[in-house]
Amino acid sequence: MNWLQTPAKALDQTALEAARARQAQLTKPPGSLGHLEEIAVRLAAMQGTQRPDLSRVHIVVFAGDHGVAEEGVSAFPQAVTGQMIRNFARGGAAISVLARSLGASLEVVDVGSAMPPEPLPGVVSRRAGSGTANFRHRPAMGPEQLAAAMQAGREAVGRALAQKAQLFIGGEMGIANTTAATALACALLGKDPVEIAGPGTGLGREGVAHKARVIEAALALHREAMTSPLEVMRHLGGFEIAALSGAYIACAQAGLPVLVDGFIASTAALAALRLRPDAAEWFFYGHASAEPGHTHLMEALDARPLVNLGMRLGEGSGAAVALPILRLAAALHGGMATFAEAGVSEGS
């Protein structure tokens, strides 16, 4: 995976300074639009323009199954992953509705569902296996599978760039993937599973406690072998989570802004940044997930989610809901008049 060594693209510093200067001249008290001003300046630097635009948004949902589902850590059966791939393709899922409403393109990538559906329009097959192994007893994936999953994410970004996308949203689907994400977060943050584990698909208190015990046993089993971020991903991750990490790194390398979704996507972002810290400038964070571990991730990432609506669906849905905020920040920055243009007196 030599491509992971390529640095992230640098922000356009000239555009950054020009955007800051423009913000100071717009017809409003300085700082009165709050975080929207910072977003607009970053978007201008990312796109190298004083009129940032986010009309072309590409959403990719990566799907994969998890062997750890054998441990009874999900409220839903594993067959749901393949069934949801069909639902995405037929336009019935939440992210399908959001993509249509936002005028965004939507692609689904099967990175390794256990029961893959028939060929479907809008679904790309880049399977690294028929689900990962049960990491309670063995590494979730082999080196070749990890490389294939991360490459699937990189290729998805290539397709987004071919469509001249201006923003990338990555989503995920996979029964038991909150267990994998929790295990990854614990290993990367040095946290106890009890602090991070949450309800996922709707587990009760005892179900969450059981999930934490499964993860604690897995962490003990693999601790000495997890000598790098890639090895953490290989031992505890999922194909769709690895694909997200690969996609985020590829976006930063290509200079394509990313809007990160909730708990699972943020875990993938943390793993990506442990591999390529310079990618951080290209990430926005869409929403504060209701999963309890998400707060720990946001602290570690020094991230500021755009919205907090108590969501925990995944699929990229929280990021999609936050997209209009980025679009409005860009519109305000490019569309407001300056004091000189409007003939309005500036403050002292």
Side-chain angles (χ1 to χ4, degrees), residues 202-217:
L203 294 174
R205 181 178 299 177
E206 178 50 39
V208 174
H210 171 66
K211 179 194 288 190
R213 290 192 293 269
V214 169
I215 293 168
E216 185 176 16

Side-chain angles (χ1 to χ4, degrees), residues 159-197:
R159 291 189 293 274
L161 294 169
Q163 295 182 27
K164 301 189 184 303
Q166 297 160 314
L167 183 79
F168 182 92
I169 292 175
E172 39 61 40
M173 172 62 212
I175 294 302
N177 65 0
T178 56
T179 300
T182 300
L184 283 169
C186 289
L188 293 171
L189 298 175
K191 297 286 186 179
D192 190 287
V194 173
E195 297 180 77
I196 306 293

Side-chain angles (χ1 to χ4, degrees), residues 38-106:
E38 177 189 337
I39 291 170
V41 169
R42 284 184 63 196
L43 285 171
M46 289 169 168
Q47 296 187 355
T49 177
Q50 282 305 291
R51 298 289 191 276
D53 177 43
L54 295 176
S55 56
R56 297 188 301 276
V57 174
H58 191 64
I59 304 173
V60 181
V61 178
F62 298 98
D65 272 307
H66 298 259
V68 74
E70 298 169 356
E71 303 295 326
V73 292
S74 174
F76 284 82
Q78 201 165 49
V80 168
T81 302
Q83 293 164 357
M84 281 301 299
I85 293 175
R86 291 191 187 95
N87 195 27
F88 294 135
R90 294 168 182 170
I95 194 59
S96 310
V97 175
L98 289 165
R100 286 197 300 273
S101 299
L102 294 164
S105 57
L106 175 63

